[in-house]
Amino acid sequence: MTLNLTATGKPQELILAYLQENASDVLADKINNGVRIAKDGKTLFNKKTLDGFMKYASDETRKLAEKGANSACVEDSVVYGWAIHYFEEESIEGKLYNEDGTEYASPKPVKKTTAPTVPYTAPKPKSEPQLSLFDMLGTQNKEEPVPAVVPVQHDDENDNDDEPTEEEIAEVMEREQEDQQIAPPLPPVQPRPSEWYERYLSVKAKNKDSILFYRLGDFYEMFGNDARTCADVLDLTLTGRDCGLKERVPMAGLPFHAADAYIAKLVNCGYKVTVAEQINGELRERTIDPPAEELNVDEETGEILPIEEMRKFDGDIEEAEILATRTLPPDDEDDDFPPLDAKAYDPEALSILDELFGNLMILR
């Protein structure tokens, strides 16, 4: 399938040639048609270009460079792995387009306008009108009414009934205590991992003693301590991935078609590796164990003996030392040959030949 990418310059041409040769059908469809994403309440198409990848690769190289360094050396296989990851990972944004094919522009933030504040001016008090002579005479004649005082009658018999009982007092106090109690705060909602990460954790729980290679798309990815180990042993870039938790999980990845070489290196270093991938809709696992060391077991005690101790127990080392220090007597018939020193020969070979031939063996 032809990839809808435009290369500018020799580096981009090399990346395009690698993608053209190694991209799967799924990855080629993502490159050519983009991926639907939701942003700002809209459905957009996320399409990536080789120019965007070059910026991504520059950022990854800057992470690898030593502090204060002006450059860094990165192997071709690592750069090609970045290319697969860049176009495969849907969370990395390239150019965004609307559903009608036009390029998407982020909405500009709306500036909040505030009404100008007007200082408050208190109204001037109104001047009272000047009273006339007739108004003054009228106010003197008006008399204010005297309120009637109604005597309160106390009923001595009902005074005791108005006092609250002890039960009423206890009920009121209990009600006040209930009102004063503050409801305990609700526990914070714990974030739940993504569905695919839950499947990864279930497989990892069954293979705790293995480094788990979990296939996602065109990559095998390792997480947590497995990612840190692979980053150290295999010289991979240690990054992180959003798995639905509060923090990103440490992650290292490599292309699936190059996994055999990396797995062989881990196994030769003594690590046990488990590979998990989806095949025909079914998650399958296979485990590669490191080569077992050759052990010598004592048949009587069951004790495991090192090779050197086993040879010493069998007498091979002592016999070799005796043969190495023993010189053979000269033969009467062969006076022309000088006496031979057995130190010039391999001690292990001499011990084996001595067991087979005994006195019949003569060194020349």
Side-chain angles (χ1 to χ4, degrees), residues 234-322:
L234 304 178
D235 296 329
L236 299 178
T237 301
L238 182 64
T239 179
R241 180 160 182 167
D242 184 9
C243 300
L245 304 177
K246 287 184 177 180
E247 299 179 355
R248 294 171 65 87
V249 178
M251 185 270 288
L254 51 89
F256 78 96
H257 56 78
D260 292 340
Y262 290 101
I263 293 174
K265 185 174 181 180
L266 284 173
V267 171
N268 291 333
C269 292
Y271 293 97
K272 184 178 179 181
V273 179
T274 297
V275 179
E277 55 188 336
Q278 291 280 349
I279 300 177
N280 296 328
E282 181 183 356
L283 184 63
R284 299 184 182 180
E285 306 168 22
R286 58 187 177 93
T287 301
I288 302 95
D289 294 317
E293 297 181 358
E294 184 179 356
L295 302 176
N296 297 303
V297 182
D298 191 341
E299 296 180 356
E300 296 181 357
T301 63
E303 182 182 2
I304 299 175
L305 302 176
I307 296 177
E308 292 295 328
E309 186 174 346
M310 193 70 181
R311 289 175 51 214
K312 184 175 181 180
F313 179 78
D314 293 339
D316 296 343
I317 296 178
E318 287 79 356
E319 292 177 4
E321 292 176 354
I322 295 173

Coordinates of all heavy atoms in Angstrom, one line a residue, residues 234-322:
L234 N 18.9 -3.2 27.1 CA 18.7 -3.1 25.6 C 19.0 -1.7 25.0 O 18.8 -1.5 23.8 CB 17.3 -3.6 25.2 CG 16.9 -5.0 25.7 CD1 15.5 -5.3 25.3 CD2 17.9 -6.0 25.1
D235 N 19.3 -0.7 25.9 CA 19.6 0.6 25.4 C 18.4 1.2 24.7 O 18.5 1.8 23.7 CB 20.8 0.7 24.5 CG 22.1 0.3 25.2 OD1 22.2 0.5 26.4 OD2 23.0 -0.3 24.5
L236 N 17.2 1.0 25.3 CA 15.9 1.6 24.8 C 15.6 2.9 25.5 O 16.1 3.2 26.6 CB 14.8 0.6 24.9 CG 14.9 -0.8 24.2 CD1 13.7 -1.6 24.6 CD2 15.0 -0.6 22.7
T237 N 14.8 3.7 24.8 CA 14.4 5.0 25.4 C 13.2 4.7 26.4 O 12.2 4.1 26.1 CB 13.8 5.9 24.3 OG1 14.9 6.1 23.4 CG2 13.4 7.2 24.9
L238 N 13.5 5.2 27.7 CA 12.4 5.0 28.7 C 11.5 6.2 28.7 O 12.0 7.4 28.8 CB 13.1 4.9 30.1 CG 12.1 4.7 31.3 CD1 11.4 3.3 31.1 CD2 12.9 4.7 32.6
T239 N 10.2 6.0 28.4 CA 9.3 7.1 28.3 C 8.1 6.7 29.2 O 8.2 5.9 30.1 CB 8.9 7.3 26.8 OG1 7.9 8.4 26.8 CG2 8.3 6.1 26.2
G240 N 6.9 7.3 29.0 CA 5.8 7.0 29.8 C 4.5 6.9 28.9 O 4.5 7.5 27.8
R241 N 3.4 6.3 29.4 CA 2.2 6.2 28.7 C 1.0 6.4 29.6 O 1.1 5.9 30.7 CB 2.1 4.8 28.0 CG 0.8 4.6 27.2 CD 1.0 3.6 26.1 NE -0.3 3.4 25.3 CZ -0.3 2.8 24.2 NH1 0.7 2.1 23.7 NH2 -1.5 2.7 23.5
D242 N 0.0 7.0 29.1 CA -1.2 7.3 29.8 C -2.0 6.0 29.8 O -2.5 5.5 28.8 CB -2.0 8.4 29.2 CG -3.3 8.8 30.0 OD1 -3.4 8.2 31.1 OD2 -4.1 9.5 29.5
C243 N -2.2 5.4 31.0 CA -3.0 4.2 31.2 C -4.3 4.4 32.0 O -4.8 3.4 32.5 CB -2.1 3.1 31.9 SG -0.6 2.7 31.0
G244 N -4.7 5.6 32.1 CA -6.0 5.9 32.8 C -5.7 6.1 34.3 O -6.7 6.4 35.0
L245 N -4.5 6.1 34.8 CA -4.2 6.4 36.2 C -3.8 7.9 36.4 O -3.8 8.7 35.4 CB -3.1 5.5 36.6 CG -3.3 4.0 36.4 CD1 -2.1 3.2 36.9 CD2 -4.5 3.5 37.2
K246 N -3.5 8.2 37.6 CA -3.2 9.6 37.9 C -1.9 10.0 37.2 O -1.7 11.1 36.7 CB -3.0 9.8 39.4 CG -4.3 9.8 40.2 CD -4.0 10.1 41.7 CE -5.3 10.2 42.5 NZ -5.1 10.5 43.9
E247 N -0.9 9.1 37.2 CA 0.4 9.4 36.6 C 0.6 8.5 35.4 O 0.1 7.4 35.4 CB 1.5 9.3 37.7 CG 1.4 10.2 38.8 CD 2.5 10.0 39.8 OE1 3.3 9.1 39.7 OE2 2.5 10.8 40.8
R248 N 1.5 8.9 34.5 CA 1.9 8.1 33.4 C 2.8 6.9 33.9 O 3.6 7.1 34.8 CB 2.6 8.9 32.4 CG 1.8 10.0 31.7 CD 2.6 10.9 30.9 NE 3.2 10.2 29.7 CZ 2.6 10.1 28.6 NH1 1.4 10.5 28.4 NH2 3.2 9.5 27.5
V249 N 2.6 5.7 33.3 CA 3.3 4.5 33.7 C 4.6 4.5 32.8 O 4.6 4.7 31.6 CB 2.5 3.3 33.4 CG1 3.2 2.0 33.8 CG2 1.2 3.3 34.2
P250 N 5.8 4.2 33.5 CA 7.0 4.0 32.7 C 6.8 3.0 31.6 O 6.3 1.9 31.8 CB 8.1 3.6 33.7 CG 7.5 4.1 35.0 CD 6.0 4.0 34.9
M251 N 7.3 3.3 30.4 CA 7.1 2.4 29.2 C 8.3 2.4 28.3 O 9.0 3.5 28.2 CB 5.9 2.9 28.5 CG 5.5 1.9 27.3 SD 6.3 2.4 25.7 CE 5.4 3.9 25.3
A252 N 8.7 1.3 27.8 CA 9.7 1.2 26.7 C 9.1 0.3 25.6 O 8.4 -0.7 25.9 CB 11.0 0.6 27.3
G253 N 9.4 0.6 24.4 CA 8.8 -0.2 23.3 C 9.8 -0.5 22.2 O 10.9 0.2 22.1
L254 N 9.5 -1.5 21.4 CA 10.4 -1.8 20.2 C 9.5 -2.4 19.1 O 8.4 -3.0 19.4 CB 11.5 -2.7 20.6 CG 11.1 -4.0 21.4 CD1 10.8 -5.2 20.5 CD2 12.2 -4.4 22.3
P255 N 9.9 -2.3 17.8 CA 9.0 -2.8 16.7 C 8.9 -4.4 16.8 O 9.9 -5.0 17.2 CB 9.8 -2.4 15.5 CG 10.6 -1.3 15.9 CD 11.0 -1.5 17.3
F256 N 7.7 -4.9 16.5 CA 7.5 -6.3 16.7 C 8.4 -7.1 15.8 O 8.8 -8.3 16.1 CB 6.0 -6.6 16.5 CG 5.7 -6.7 15.0 CD1 5.6 -7.9 14.3 CD2 5.3 -5.5 14.3 CE1 5.2 -7.9 13.0 CE2 5.0 -5.6 13.0 CZ 4.9 -6.8 12.3
H257 N 8.7 -6.6 14.6 CA 9.5 -7.4 13.6 C 11.0 -7.5 14.0 O 11.7 -8.3 13.5 CB 9.4 -6.8 12.2 CG 9.8 -5.4 12.1 ND1 11.1 -5.0 12.1 CD2 9.1 -4.3 12.1 CE1 11.2 -3.6 12.1 NE2 9.9 -3.2 12.1
A258 N 11.4 -6.7 15.0 CA 12.8 -6.7 15.5 C 12.9 -7.3 16.9 O 14.0 -7.2 17.5 CB 13.5 -5.3 15.5
A259 N 11.8 -7.9 17.4 CA 11.8 -8.4 18.8 C 12.7 -9.6 19.0 O 13.2 -9.7 20.2 CB 10.4 -8.7 19.2
D260 N 12.9 -10.4 18.1 CA 13.7 -11.7 18.3 C 15.1 -11.4 18.8 O 15.6 -12.0 19.7 CB 13.8 -12.5 17.0 CG 12.4 -13.1 16.7 OD1 11.5 -13.1 17.6 OD2 12.2 -13.5 15.5
A261 N 15.8 -10.4 18.2 CA 17.1 -10.0 18.6 C 17.2 -9.5 20.0 O 18.1 -9.8 20.8 CB 17.7 -9.0 17.6
Y262 N 16.2 -8.7 20.4 CA 16.2 -8.1 21.7 C 15.9 -9.2 22.8 O 16.4 -9.2 23.8 CB 15.1 -7.0 21.8 CG 15.5 -5.8 21.1 CD1 14.9 -5.5 19.8 CD2 16.4 -4.8 21.6 CE1 15.3 -4.3 19.1 CE2 16.7 -3.7 20.9 CZ 16.2 -3.4 19.7 OH 16.5 -2.3 19.0
I263 N 14.9 -10.1 22.4 CA 14.6 -11.2 23.3 C 15.8 -12.1 23.5 O 16.1 -12.5 24.7 CB 13.4 -12.0 22.8 CG1 12.1 -11.1 22.8 CG2 13.2 -13.3 23.6 CD1 10.9 -11.8 22.2
A264 N 16.6 -12.4 22.5 CA 17.7 -13.3 22.6 C 18.8 -12.6 23.5 O 19.4 -13.3 24.3 CB 18.3 -13.5 21.2
K265 N 18.9 -11.3 23.4 CA 19.9 -10.6 24.3 C 19.5 -10.7 25.7 O 20.3 -10.9 26.6 CB 20.0 -9.1 23.8 CG 21.1 -8.4 24.6 CD 21.3 -7.0 24.0 CE 22.4 -6.2 24.8 NZ 22.6 -4.9 24.3
L266 N 18.2 -10.5 26.0 CA 17.7 -10.6 27.4 C 17.9 -12.0 28.0 O 18.3 -12.2 29.1 CB 16.2 -10.2 27.5 CG 15.9 -8.8 27.4 CD1 14.4 -8.6 27.3 CD2 16.4 -8.0 28.6
V267 N 17.6 -13.0 27.1 CA 17.7 -14.4 27.6 C 19.1 -14.8 27.8 O 19.5 -15.4 28.8 CB 17.1 -15.4 26.5 CG1 17.4 -16.8 26.8 CG2 15.6 -15.2 26.5
N268 N 20.1 -14.3 27.0 CA 21.5 -14.6 27.2 C 22.0 -13.9 28.4 O 23.0 -14.3 29.0 CB 22.3 -14.1 26.0 CG 22.0 -15.0 24.7 OD1 21.6 -16.2 24.9 ND2 22.2 -14.5 23.5
C269 N 21.3 -12.8 28.8 CA 21.7 -12.1 30.1 C 21.1 -12.8 31.3 O 21.3 -12.3 32.4 CB 21.4 -10.7 30.0 SG 22.3 -9.7 28.8
G270 N 20.3 -13.8 31.1 CA 19.8 -14.6 32.3 C 18.3 -14.2 32.6 O 17.8 -14.6 33.7
Y271 N 17.7 -13.4 31.8 CA 16.3 -13.0 32.0 C 15.3 -13.9 31.4 O 15.5 -14.4 30.3 CB 16.0 -11.6 31.5 CG 16.8 -10.5 32.3 CD1 18.0 -10.0 31.8 CD2 16.3 -10.0 33.5 CE1 18.7 -9.1 32.5 CE2 17.0 -9.0 34.2 CZ 18.2 -8.6 33.7 OH 18.9 -7.6 34.4
K272 N 14.2 -14.1 32.0 CA 13.1 -14.9 31.5 C 12.1 -14.0 30.8 O 11.7 -13.0 31.4 CB 12.4 -15.7 32.6 CG 11.3 -16.6 32.2 CD 10.7 -17.3 33.4 CE 9.6 -18.3 33.1 NZ 9.0 -18.9 34.3
V273 N 11.7 -14.3 29.6 CA 10.8 -13.4 28.8 C 9.5 -14.1 28.4 O 9.5 -15.3 28.0 CB 11.6 -13.0 27.5 CG1 10.7 -12.0 26.7 CG2 12.9 -12.3 27.9
T274 N 8.4 -13.4 28.6 CA 7.1 -13.9 28.2 C 6.5 -12.9 27.1 O 6.5 -11.7 27.4 CB 6.1 -14.0 29.4 OG1 6.6 -14.9 30.3 CG2 4.7 -14.4 28.9
V275 N 6.1 -13.5 26.0 CA 5.5 -12.7 24.9 C 4.0 -12.9 24.9 O 3.6 -14.1 24.9 CB 6.2 -13.1 23.6 CG1 5.6 -12.3 22.4 CG2 7.7 -12.9 23.6
A276 N 3.2 -11.9 24.9 CA 1.7 -11.9 24.9 C 1.3 -11.1 23.7 O 1.6 -9.9 23.5 CB 1.1 -11.4 26.2
E277 N 0.4 -11.7 22.9 CA -0.2 -11.0 21.7 C -1.5 -11.6 21.3 O -1.8 -12.7 21.6 CB 0.8 -11.0 20.5 CG 1.3 -12.4 20.1 CD 2.4 -12.4 19.1 OE1 2.5 -11.4 18.4 OE2 3.1 -13.4 19.0
Q278 N -2.3 -10.8 20.6 CA -3.6 -11.2 20.1 C -3.4 -11.9 18.8 O -2.9 -11.4 17.8 CB -4.5 -10.0 19.9 CG -4.9 -9.3 21.2 CD -6.1 -10.0 21.9 OE1 -6.7 -10.9 21.3 NE2 -6.3 -9.7 23.2
I279 N -3.9 -13.2 18.7 CA -3.9 -14.0 17.5 C -5.3 -14.5 17.2 O -5.8 -15.3 18.0 CB -2.9 -15.1 17.6 CG1 -1.4 -14.6 17.9 CG2 -2.9 -16.0 16.3 CD1 -0.4 -15.7 18.0
N280 N -5.9 -14.0 16.1 CA -7.2 -14.4 15.8 C -8.2 -14.1 16.9 O -9.1 -14.9 17.2 CB -7.3 -15.9 15.4 CG -6.5 -16.2 14.2 OD1 -6.4 -15.4 13.3 ND2 -5.9 -17.4 14.1
G281 N -8.0 -12.9 17.5 CA -8.9 -12.5 18.6 C -8.7 -13.2 19.9 O -9.5 -12.9 20.9
E282 N -7.7 -14.0 20.1 CA -7.4 -14.7 21.3 C -6.0 -14.3 21.8 O -5.0 -14.2 21.0 CB -7.4 -16.2 21.1 CG -7.1 -17.0 22.3 CD -7.2 -18.5 22.1 OE1 -7.4 -18.9 20.9 OE2 -6.9 -19.3 23.0
L283 N -5.9 -13.9 23.1 CA -4.6 -13.5 23.7 C -3.8 -14.8 24.0 O -4.2 -15.6 24.8 CB -4.9 -12.8 25.0 CG -3.6 -12.2 25.7 CD1 -2.9 -11.2 24.8 CD2 -4.0 -11.5 27.0
R284 N -2.7 -14.9 23.4 CA -1.8 -16.1 23.5 C -0.5 -15.7 24.2 O 0.0 -14.5 23.9 CB -1.6 -16.8 22.2 CG -2.8 -17.3 21.6 CD -2.6 -18.1 20.3 NE -3.8 -18.5 19.7 CZ -3.8 -19.3 18.5 NH1 -2.7 -19.6 17.9 NH2 -5.0 -19.6 18.0
E285 N 0.1 -16.6 24.9 CA 1.4 -16.3 25.6 C 2.4 -17.4 25.3 O 2.0 -18.6 25.2 CB 1.1 -16.2 27.1 CG 0.0 -15.2 27.6 CD -0.4 -15.4 29.0 OE1 0.5 -15.9 29.8 OE2 -1.5 -15.0 29.4
R286 N 3.6 -17.0 25.3 CA 4.7 -18.0 25.2 C 5.9 -17.5 26.0 O 6.1 -16.3 26.0 CB 5.1 -18.2 23.7 CG 5.6 -17.0 23.0 CD 5.8 -17.3 21.5 NE 6.2 -16.1 20.7 CZ 7.4 -15.7 20.5 NH1 8.4 -16.5 21.0 NH2 7.7 -14.7 19.8
T287 N 6.6 -18.4 26.6 CA 7.7 -18.0 27.6 C 9.0 -18.6 27.1 O 9.0 -19.7 26.6 CB 7.4 -18.5 29.0 OG1 6.1 -17.9 29.4 CG2 8.5 -18.1 29.9
I288 N 10.0 -17.7 27.1 CA 11.4 -18.2 26.7 C 12.2 -18.1 28.0 O 12.4 -17.1 28.6 CB 12.0 -17.3 25.6 CG1 11.1 -17.2 24.4 CG2 13.4 -17.7 25.3 CD1 10.1 -16.1 24.3
D289 N 12.8 -19.3 28.4 CA 13.6 -19.4 29.6 C 15.1 -19.2 29.2 O 15.5 -19.6 28.1 CB 13.4 -20.8 30.3 CG 12.0 -20.9 30.8 OD1 11.5 -19.9 31.4 OD2 11.4 -22.0 30.6
P290 N 15.9 -18.7 30.1 CA 17.3 -18.6 29.9 C 17.9 -20.0 29.9 O 17.4 -20.9 30.5 CB 17.8 -17.7 31.0 CG 16.8 -17.9 32.1 CD 15.5 -18.1 31.4
P291 N 19.1 -20.2 29.2 CA 19.7 -21.6 29.2 C 20.1 -22.0 30.6 O 20.7 -21.2 31.4 CB 20.9 -21.4 28.3 CG 21.2 -19.9 28.3 CD 19.8 -19.2 28.4
A292 N 19.8 -23.2 31.0 CA 20.1 -23.7 32.3 C 21.6 -24.0 32.4 O 22.2 -24.5 31.4 CB 19.3 -25.0 32.6
E293 N 22.2 -23.8 33.5 CA 23.6 -24.0 33.8 C 23.8 -25.5 34.0 O 23.0 -26.2 34.6 CB 24.1 -23.3 35.0 CG 24.1 -21.7 34.8 CD 24.6 -21.0 36.0 OE1 25.0 -21.7 37.0 OE2 24.7 -19.8 36.0
E294 N 25.0 -26.0 33.6 CA 25.3 -27.5 33.8 C 25.7 -27.7 35.2 O 26.6 -27.1 35.8 CB 26.5 -27.8 32.9 CG 26.8 -29.3 32.9 CD 28.0 -29.7 32.0 OE1 28.5 -28.8 31.3 OE2 28.4 -30.8 32.0
L295 N 24.9 -28.6 35.9 CA 25.1 -28.9 37.3 C 25.6 -30.3 37.5 O 25.2 -31.2 36.7 CB 23.8 -28.7 38.0 CG 23.2 -27.3 37.9 CD1 21.9 -27.2 38.6 CD2 24.1 -26.2 38.5
N296 N 26.4 -30.5 38.4 CA 26.9 -31.9 38.8 C 26.2 -32.2 40.2 O 26.5 -31.5 41.2 CB 28.4 -31.9 39.0 CG 29.1 -31.6 37.6 OD1 28.8 -32.3 36.7 ND2 29.9 -30.6 37.6
V297 N 25.5 -33.3 40.2 CA 24.7 -33.6 41.4 C 25.3 -34.9 42.0 O 25.5 -35.9 41.3 CB 23.2 -33.8 41.1 CG1 22.5 -34.2 42.4 CG2 22.7 -32.6 40.5
D298 N 25.7 -34.9 43.3 CA 26.2 -36.1 43.9 C 25.0 -37.1 44.1 O 24.0 -36.8 44.7 CB 26.7 -35.7 45.3 CG 27.5 -36.8 46.0 OD1 27.3 -38.0 45.5 OD2 28.3 -36.6 46.9
E299 N 25.2 -38.3 43.6 CA 24.1 -39.3 43.6 C 23.8 -39.8 45.0 O 22.7 -40.1 45.2 CB 24.5 -40.5 42.7 CG 24.7 -40.2 41.2 CD 25.1 -41.4 40.4 OE1 25.3 -42.4 41.1 OE2 25.3 -41.3 39.2
E300 N 24.8 -39.8 45.9 CA 24.5 -40.3 47.2 C 23.8 -39.2 48.1 O 22.9 -39.5 48.8 CB 25.8 -40.7 47.9 CG 26.5 -41.9 47.2 CD 27.8 -42.3 47.8 OE1 28.1 -41.6 48.8 OE2 28.4 -43.3 47.4
T301 N 24.3 -38.0 48.1 CA 23.8 -36.9 49.0 C 22.8 -36.0 48.3 O 22.1 -35.3 48.9 CB 25.0 -36.1 49.6 OG1 25.6 -35.4 48.5 CG2 25.9 -37.0 50.3
G302 N 22.8 -35.9 46.9 CA 22.0 -35.0 46.2 C 22.5 -33.6 46.2 O 21.9 -32.6 45.8
E303 N 23.8 -33.4 46.7 CA 24.4 -32.1 46.7 C 24.9 -31.7 45.3 O 25.4 -32.5 44.6 CB 25.5 -32.1 47.7 CG 26.2 -30.7 47.9 CD 27.4 -30.8 48.8 OE1 27.7 -31.9 49.3 OE2 28.0 -29.8 49.1
I304 N 24.7 -30.4 45.0 CA 25.2 -29.8 43.7 C 26.6 -29.4 43.9 O 26.9 -28.5 44.8 CB 24.3 -28.7 43.3 CG1 22.8 -29.1 43.1 CG2 24.8 -28.0 42.0 CD1 21.9 -28.0 42.7
L305 N 27.5 -30.0 43.1 CA 28.9 -29.7 43.2 C 29.4 -28.9 42.0 O 29.0 -29.1 40.9 CB 29.7 -31.0 43.3 CG 29.4 -31.9 44.4 CD1 30.2 -33.2 44.3 CD2 29.7 -31.2 45.8
P306 N 30.3 -27.9 42.2 CA 30.9 -27.2 41.1 C 31.7 -28.1 40.2 O 32.1 -29.2 40.7 CB 31.7 -26.1 41.7 CG 31.2 -25.9 43.1 CD 30.7 -27.3 43.5
I307 N 32.0 -27.7 39.0 CA 32.8 -28.6 38.1 C 34.2 -28.9 38.7 O 34.6 -30.0 38.7 CB 32.9 -28.0 36.7 CG1 31.5 -27.8 36.1 CG2 33.8 -28.8 35.8 CD1 31.4 -27.2 34.8
E308 N 34.9 -27.8 39.2 CA 36.2 -28.0 39.7 C 36.2 -29.0 40.9 O 37.1 -29.8 41.1 CB 36.8 -26.7 40.1 CG 37.1 -25.8 38.9 CD 38.2 -26.4 38.0 OE1 39.1 -27.1 38.5 OE2 38.1 -26.2 36.8
E309 N 35.2 -28.8 41.8 CA 35.1 -29.7 43.0 C 34.8 -31.1 42.6 O 35.3 -32.1 43.2 CB 34.1 -29.1 43.9 CG 34.0 -29.9 45.3 CD 33.1 -29.3 46.2 OE1 32.7 -28.1 46.0 OE2 32.8 -29.9 47.3
M310 N 34.0 -31.3 41.5 CA 33.6 -32.6 41.0 C 34.9 -33.3 40.5 O 35.1 -34.5 40.7 CB 32.5 -32.5 40.0 CG 31.9 -33.9 39.6 SD 30.9 -34.5 41.0 CE 30.4 -36.0 40.3
R311 N 35.7 -32.6 39.7 CA 36.9 -33.2 39.2 C 37.9 -33.5 40.3 O 38.6 -34.6 40.2 CB 37.6 -32.2 38.2 CG 36.8 -32.0 36.9 CD 37.4 -30.9 36.0 NE 38.8 -31.2 35.9 CZ 39.7 -30.2 35.8 NH1 39.4 -29.0 35.9 NH2 41.0 -30.5 35.7
K312 N 38.0 -32.7 41.3 CA 38.9 -33.0 42.4 C 38.4 -34.2 43.2 O 39.2 -35.1 43.6 CB 38.9 -31.8 43.3 CG 39.9 -32.0 44.5 CD 40.0 -30.7 45.3 CE 41.0 -30.9 46.4 NZ 41.1 -29.6 47.3
F313 N 37.0 -34.4 43.3 CA 36.5 -35.5 44.0 C 36.8 -36.8 43.2 O 37.0 -37.8 43.8 CB 35.0 -35.3 44.1 CG 34.3 -36.5 44.8 CD1 34.3 -36.7 46.2 CD2 33.6 -37.4 44.0 CE1 33.7 -37.7 46.8 CE2 32.9 -38.5 44.6 CZ 33.0 -38.6 46.0
D314 N 36.7 -36.8 41.9 CA 37.0 -37.9 41.1 C 38.5 -38.2 41.0 O 38.9 -39.3 40.5 CB 36.5 -37.7 39.7 CG 35.0 -37.7 39.7 OD1 34.4 -38.2 40.7 OD2 34.4 -37.1 38.7
G315 N 39.4 -37.3 41.4 CA 40.8 -37.6 41.3 C 41.4 -37.1 40.1 O 42.6 -37.4 39.9
D316 N 40.7 -36.4 39.2 CA 41.3 -36.0 37.9 C 42.4 -35.0 38.1 O 43.4 -35.0 37.5 CB 40.2 -35.4 37.0 CG 39.2 -36.4 36.6 OD1 39.5 -37.6 36.8 OD2 38.1 -36.1 36.2
I317 N 42.2 -34.0 39.1 CA 43.2 -33.0 39.3 C 44.5 -33.5 39.9 O 45.6 -33.2 39.4 CB 42.6 -31.9 40.2 CG1 41.4 -31.2 39.5 CG2 43.6 -30.9 40.5 CD1 40.7 -30.2 40.3
E318 N 44.3 -34.5 40.9 CA 45.6 -35.0 41.5 C 46.3 -35.9 40.4 O 47.6 -35.8 40.4 CB 45.2 -35.9 42.7 CG 44.8 -35.1 43.9 CD 43.4 -34.6 43.8 OE1 42.7 -34.9 42.8 OE2 42.9 -34.0 44.8
E319 N 45.6 -36.6 39.6 CA 46.3 -37.5 38.7 C 47.0 -36.6 37.6 O 48.1 -36.9 37.2 CB 45.3 -38.4 38.0 CG 44.7 -39.4 38.9 CD 43.7 -40.3 38.2 OE1 43.5 -40.1 37.0 OE2 43.0 -41.2 38.8
A320 N 46.4 -35.5 37.2 CA 47.0 -34.6 36.3 C 48.3 -34.0 36.9 O 49.3 -33.9 36.2 CB 46.0 -33.6 35.9
E321 N 48.2 -33.7 38.2 CA 49.4 -33.1 38.8 C 50.6 -34.1 38.9 O 51.7 -33.8 38.7 CB 49.1 -32.5 40.2 CG 48.1 -31.3 40.1 CD 47.7 -30.9 41.5 OE1 48.1 -31.6 42.5 OE2 47.0 -29.9 41.7
I322 N 50.2 -35.4 39.2 CA 51.2 -36.4 39.3 C 51.9 -36.6 37.9 O 53.1 -36.7 37.8 CB 50.6 -37.7 39.8 CG1 50.1 -37.5 41.2 CG2 51.6 -38.8 39.7 CD1 49.4 -38.7 41.8

